[in-house]
Amino acid sequence: MTRMNMIQAINSAMDVVMERDDGVTVLGEDVGYFGGVFRATAGLQKKYGKTRVFDAPINECGIIGVAIGMAAYGLRPVPEIQFADYIYPGMDQLISEAARLRYRSNGDFTCPITVRSPFGGGIFGGQTHSQSPEGIFTHVSGLKTVIPSNPYDAKGLLIAAIEDPDPVLFFEPKRIYNGPFDGHYDRPVQPWSKHDSSEVPEGYYNIPLGKAAVVRAGEAVTILCYGTMVHVALGVAQESGIDAEIIDLRTLVPLDIETIAASVEKTGRCVIVHEATRTSGFGAELSAQVQERCFHHLEAPIERVTGWDTPYPHSLEWAYFPGPVRLGQALKRVMKD
Amino acid sequence: MADEPGRNLRSLSLHVPEPKYRPGDKVSFDDMPLPEAGSVARPDIAAAPNTLRDYPFTLIRVLDPEGKAVGEWNPRLEPDRIRAILRAMTLTRAFDDRMFRAQRQGKTSFYMKCTGEEAIAVSQAFALDRDDMCFPSYRQQGLLIARDWSLVDMMCQIYSNAGDRLKGRQLPIMYSAKEAGFFSISGNLGTQYPQAVGWAMASAAKGDTRIAASWVGEGTTAEGDFHAACTFASVFRAPVVLNIVNNQWAISSFAGFAGGENTTFAARGLGYGIAALRVDGNDALAVYAATEWAAERARSNHGPTLIEHFTYRVEAHSTSDDPSAYRPADEGQHFPLGDPIERLKTHLIAIGEWDDASHEALKAEVTAQVRDAGKEAEKLGTLSGTAFNHGFETIFEDVFAEMPPHLKEQMEQSIEERRVAGV
């Protein structure tokens, strides 16, 4: 075991799979010599050479399109999109090609790519360095979507994603790259080294995709969350004294509905939290599924605490970000009924 | 003052391209520049792209008006090989004709012919190695036919029948045949271009010897994927042959709407630093020679080549299209590059390796081959026979390698709903 922050854990995941499988190939803007704008690929080019870790032109359509072709050849490409906000030029390749290749060719060709991309807000990133577009991709059949919330999970889930035979979107909450963040932007942030989940094995392990984690057991209410919001939820539960059961989804598609349903059937209440905008966000899917499966156990309406239906603002970030004040109020509302 | 309002300036005007001829117009291609066969020199395969600047603005042609093969680009093929190319082109046309009729008879929902463009895919399949990976568009059925892929298999896909290897999931003609080095066709235009570059990069990164080739129409060069592919191909010197089939029409839009009024499509390569050739697409020997040059160049690590194949889309865009609504009905007959099959036939006769009787026999033979394949395929059903040539639950398979819980649930729901409804 070594203490790692999330970036080191992600770097270690790629290092471990590249060592084991010489088909694993990393490409993206600034990922090669420089080691990535967030340092996630630092040292990999030096260790594995330029034909396995290389810089790409600034062209997201090309990065993903080329990765699909490399996958069709038989490699396991790990393309990086520098910010999730810039994944849109690659959407046609992701949605029309990567997601459909196995289906449309009846398995003749497959696309085992893992698209890594930093996402989420809380860093004064403004409109184009803060977005959470996961709901756009969870709507696409054929794609898996994974979002870790701590270094241990980040490494285990990324190894599983790269080894997965199908395309995976791996969104990395950049707000918590260096330490967990509970939404109290006015308090000093602790580094990962003070946190248990920064104990990360140096070698190989994986965390299966499609399995949620109960990060806090509770009886009063179920909070469904992922990424940075896991830490916001943990903080609110502690401060409010409400005995919330907090579920870190980890994988959005395929969704671990059994763990979710078992929890809501026990607590009878459910609050869903995500940074992404509300309308048609992933929270709507979660809410619908909980309603369909747990209707007779529900004692209060399901609440969604999300980003507002606006572009992500710069100076008004903390009025937008679904932090402890908003989540705290939602929990109180749900508990009142 | 330049910013003074109301100053006396001419109004701007927007140029919207218009094809030279519309339905009812008298067609003439007399003013089209047409370099003579044999007039273009064949450069070394290692030539630097910046030494090939004239190539996008001429036309590599081998067959002269008498059918003689002339000039440095003559690939000097053995007569048997030329006959094999002629046979695959003729078979492709016969296949198209039968499948077009099958669509009109309601046996399938859709078809697209490649009439007039057979020399391109067929000759190129002969010039490439069989294990080079092709990333085609929807109008390169000649690749499969030249690689002796089963016509029955192709027809089963078109009929979405019980023999369809794609289980009825794909629109007719969107073939996938990995064993034939034929990548799964997508309806989304241009997406295969960067994928071909990626495949070629992977082959190079692995120290393999195989190369990739891809095809788009001139209309698709306007897609962003074209730019992505050319940039990556150039940057990484990918061993790839990037083909543009300029048949002058993208459904109803003439090539001017893809930028063809201002330059050639081959000239796009210059800006990327990619070697670019422009070829008479109805001259099977010129197409072969250019492809062979590009393939040797790629295989020798000299990087990618862009080839514009100048041709004409003789028939409708698809079975859903009526070209008489936007272009003169006789435009194709005036096209000066003629018919690719007729021109290769004339060549073989000119060198004493063919005659009219052999050609008639060939046509009868390939027609019979297609007819026999058609009967075989129809035994396995057609689209009009039943829409359920595959179990309906197969729609849930192969979305992922392993069916995840939500799809299992939906599959069970669909089985239950159909059971209750008694269907």
Side-chain angles (χ1 to χ4, degrees):
Chain A
M1 291 286 196
T2 312
R3 291 276 179 195
M4 293 187 196
N5 65 27
M6 218 148 124
I7 293 168
Q8 291 162 334
I10 285 163
N11 183 278
S12 174
M14 286 186 272
D15 189 7
V16 165
V17 282
M18 290 188 79
E19 185 85 54
R20 288 164 65 98
D21 179 351
D22 63 11
V24 177
T25 304
V26 170
L27 69 155
E29 295 157 23
D30 306 299
V31 304
Y33 183 85
F34 179 57
V37 294
F38 290 105
R39 318 305 304 148
T41 56
L44 296 179
Q45 187 182 72
K46 194 168 184 199
K47 187 167 176 187
Y48 296 102
K50 289 201 294 183
T51 58
R52 291 191 62 196
V53 183
F54 54 85
D55 292 313
I58 303 173
N59 187 315
E60 290 77 13
C61 162
I63 290 168
I64 298 184
V66 156
I68 294 168
M70 294 171 84
Y73 177 88
L75 303 188
R76 275 183 191 274
V78 186
E80 177 186 298
I81 300 298
Q82 204 159 72
F83 288 85
D85 315 63
Y86 303 134
I87 204 167
Y88 309 122
M91 294 257 298
D92 189 33
Q93 287 286 347
L94 273 171
I95 295 175
S96 309
E97 302 295 316
R100 314 239 191 279
L101 190 54
R102 177 188 294 279
Y103 191 76
R104 77 171 194 231
S105 72
N106 191 25
D108 209 12
F109 295 93
T110 61
C111 189
I113 68 171
T114 301
V115 181
R116 287 184 42 247
S117 193
F119 96 125
I123 57 151
F124 277 101
Q127 295 193 17
T128 56
H129 298 79
S130 307
Q131 294 170 36
S132 300
E134 67 276 15
I136 296 173
F137 298 99
T138 56
H139 189 58
V140 178
S141 48
L143 294 180
K144 295 182 178 176
T145 303
V146 178
I147 300 173
S149 70
N150 62 65
Y152 181 85
D153 283 2
K155 180 171 174 180
L157 288 167
L158 182 54
I159 289 174
I162 295 171
E163 292 187 333
D164 194 274
D166 291 307
V168 180
L169 281 159
F170 193 85
F171 286 122
E172 301 166 2
K174 56 189 171 296
R175 183 63 184 82
I176 56 171
Y177 266 155
N178 292 305
F181 176 66
D182 62 8
H184 287 291
Y185 54 90
D186 49 352
R187 298 179 191 168
V189 176
Q190 298 282 350
W192 275 113
S193 57
K194 311 254 187 217
H195 199 278
D196 284 349
S197 61
S198 70
E199 288 274 0
V200 177
E202 284 171 72
Y204 178 91
Y205 69 99
N206 67 55
I207 296 174
L209 306 187
K211 296 277 177 241
V214 178
V215 293
R216 183 192 188 282
E219 299 294 328
V221 55
T222 299
I223 302 178
L224 304 180
C225 51
Y226 48 89
T228 304
M229 289 300 124
V230 171
H231 304 283
V232 173
L234 284 165
V236 171
Q238 197 181 359
E239 289 159 19
S240 66
I242 294 172
D243 187 22
E245 179 146 298
I246 301 174
I247 298 180
D248 178 357
L249 300 180
R250 301 199 292 197
T251 303
L252 308 194
V253 177
L255 183 66
D256 185 357
I257 191 64
E258 282 181 19
T259 298
I260 294 169
S263 176
V264 177
E265 283 172 14
K266 177 177 70 174
T267 63
R269 296 165 208 273
C270 180
V271 173
I272 296 157
V273 202
H274 61 57
E275 287 180 66
T277 51
R278 178 168 305 173
T279 302
S280 304
F282 192 66
E285 174 64 24
L286 290 170
S287 177
Q289 293 229 25
V290 169
Q291 189 275 138
E292 285 164 11
R293 288 161 205 272
C294 309
F295 182 76
H296 296 289
H297 295 84
L298 285 172
E299 291 170 42
I302 302 160
E303 283 255 2
R304 280 183 288 162
V305 181
T306 69
W308 306 118
D309 280 337
T310 68
Y312 203 106
H314 183 241
S315 70
L316 297 171
E317 171 144 60
W318 301 118
Y320 174 96
F321 187 86
V325 172
R326 291 187 51 212
L327 178 56
Q329 289 185 26
L331 285 175
K332 279 182 198 154
R333 285 196 299 272
V334 167
M335 294 310 297
K336 229 184 333 190
D337 284 310
Chain B
M1 288 288 288
D3 57 357
E4 194 181 313
R7 67 213 151 103
N8 185 21
L9 291 177
R10 273 177 62 195
S11 299
L12 294 166
S13 63
L14 178 68
H15 172 70
V16 179
E18 183 64 29
K20 210 164 162 188
Y21 305 113
R22 286 297 194 186
D25 291 346
K26 191 169 152 32
V27 177
S28 165
F29 284 98
D30 288 350
D31 58 350
M32 181 185 285
L34 216 52
E36 278 182 27
S39 62
V40 179
R42 186 183 191 275
D44 190 86
I45 55 156
N50 65 7
T51 64
L52 304 171
R53 291 184 179 183
D54 294 336
Y55 283 83
F57 301 101
T58 182
L59 208 55
I60 295 168
R61 310 182 69 200
V62 170
L63 294 172
D64 75 6
E66 285 74 48
K68 277 187 299 210
V70 295
E72 294 174 22
W73 284 95
N74 179 5
R76 302 181 188 285
L77 301 179
E78 293 296 321
D80 275 349
R81 199 154 169 79
I82 300 174
R83 277 189 287 264
I85 292 172
L86 182 70
R87 185 181 191 285
M89 285 166 63
T90 312
L91 180 58
T92 301
R93 187 166 292 181
F95 183 85
D96 274 358
D97 287 342
R98 181 168 180 106
M99 290 298 100
F100 180 87
R101 285 201 306 279
Q103 191 276 338
R104 289 294 189 254
Q105 292 162 354
K107 291 175 183 167
T108 186
S109 60
F110 183 76
Y111 192 70
M112 296 176 107
K113 300 173 99 173
C114 68
T115 311
E117 302 173 31
E118 293 92 343
I120 298 162
V122 167
S123 252
Q124 294 198 272
F126 276 85
L128 295 166
D129 282 353
R130 197 182 162 86
D131 57 359
D132 293 334
M133 182 59 85
C134 297
F135 289 74
S137 82
Y138 47 69
R139 229 186 283 279
Q140 279 78 49
Q141 54 266 54
L143 290 170
L144 282 174
I145 289 172
R147 284 181 169 179
D148 293 323
W149 192 248
S150 155
L151 300 185
V152 177
D153 189 85
M154 292 170 74
M155 289 171 174
C156 288
Q157 197 281 328
I158 289 163
Y159 291 147
S160 284
N161 68 11
D164 177 10
R165 63 207 322 265
L166 306 183
K167 292 188 182 158
R169 291 178 187 146
Q170 269 280 46
L171 194 68
I173 75 165
M174 304 281 182
Y175 312 107
S176 177
K178 192 176 187 178
E179 295 154 80
F182 189 97
F183 186 72
S184 159
I185 296 176
S186 168
N188 295 66
L189 295 179
T191 50
Q192 79 279 11
Y193 233 42
Q195 293 164 8
V197 173
W199 196 98
M201 286 168 65
S203 181
K206 284 286 156 196
D208 199 343
T209 58
R210 294 176 291 166
I211 64 169
S214 190
W215 287 259
V216 290
E218 89 290 343
T220 298
T221 63
E223 291 283 4
D225 300 63
F226 176 82
H227 169 66
C230 290
T231 301
F232 277 73
S234 169
V235 167
F236 297 102
R237 288 190 203 162
V240 64
V241 182
L242 295 170
N243 298 286
I244 301 166
V245 181
N246 176 8
N247 65 15
Q248 315 201 42
W249 290 95
I251 308 186
S252 76
S253 302
F254 87 115
F257 280 99
E261 276 188 332
N262 308 313
T263 187
T264 69
F265 292 96
R268 302 272 188 254
L270 291 180
Y272 295 101
I274 296 177
L277 307 176
R278 192 161 176 271
V279 179
D280 177 345
N282 292 8
D283 178 339
L285 297 185
V287 169
Y288 184 102
T291 308
E292 186 183 45
W293 185 89
E296 280 178 22
R297 181 178 173 85
R299 246 184 272 286
S300 311
N301 282 310
H302 299 305
T305 302
L306 192 71
I307 308 178
E308 175 186 346
H309 304 266
F310 188 62
T311 182
Y312 185 86
R313 196 196 76 211
V314 171
E315 298 264 4
H317 166 70
S318 72
T319 48
S320 307
D321 176 48
D322 172 16
S324 72
Y326 51 79
R327 70 182 189 190
D330 63 345
E331 193 179 67
Q333 291 159 29
H334 291 85
F335 186 63
L337 299 184
D339 179 88
I341 294 177
E342 287 301 314
R343 284 175 66 191
L344 197 60
K345 170 192 153 191
T346 305
H347 168 66
L348 271 175
I349 291 172
I351 60 172
E353 294 287 347
W354 201 239
D355 56 40
D356 284 322
S358 319
H359 197 71
E360 287 312 308
L362 170 66
K363 282 206 287 193
E365 183 209 327
V366 296
T367 302
Q369 186 184 344
V370 170
R371 188 188 56 230
D372 293 348
K375 285 180 180 163
E376 204 61 35
E378 289 184 28
K379 279 186 203 160
L380 297 165
T382 64
L383 191 65
S384 62
T386 166
F388 289 99
N389 284 315
H390 295 270
F392 68 91
E393 68 279 4
T394 60
I395 63 174
F396 299 100
E397 295 167 0
D398 302 304
V399 179
F400 299 99
E402 265 184 65
M403 197 183 293
H406 68 286
L407 282 177
K408 278 186 192 148
E409 198 176 87
Q410 290 172 31
M411 184 173 77
E412 283 156 16
Q413 183 185 343
S414 79
I415 291 169
E416 179 61 11
E417 284 174 354
R418 294 176 59 79
R419 190 191 64 78
V420 169
V423 292

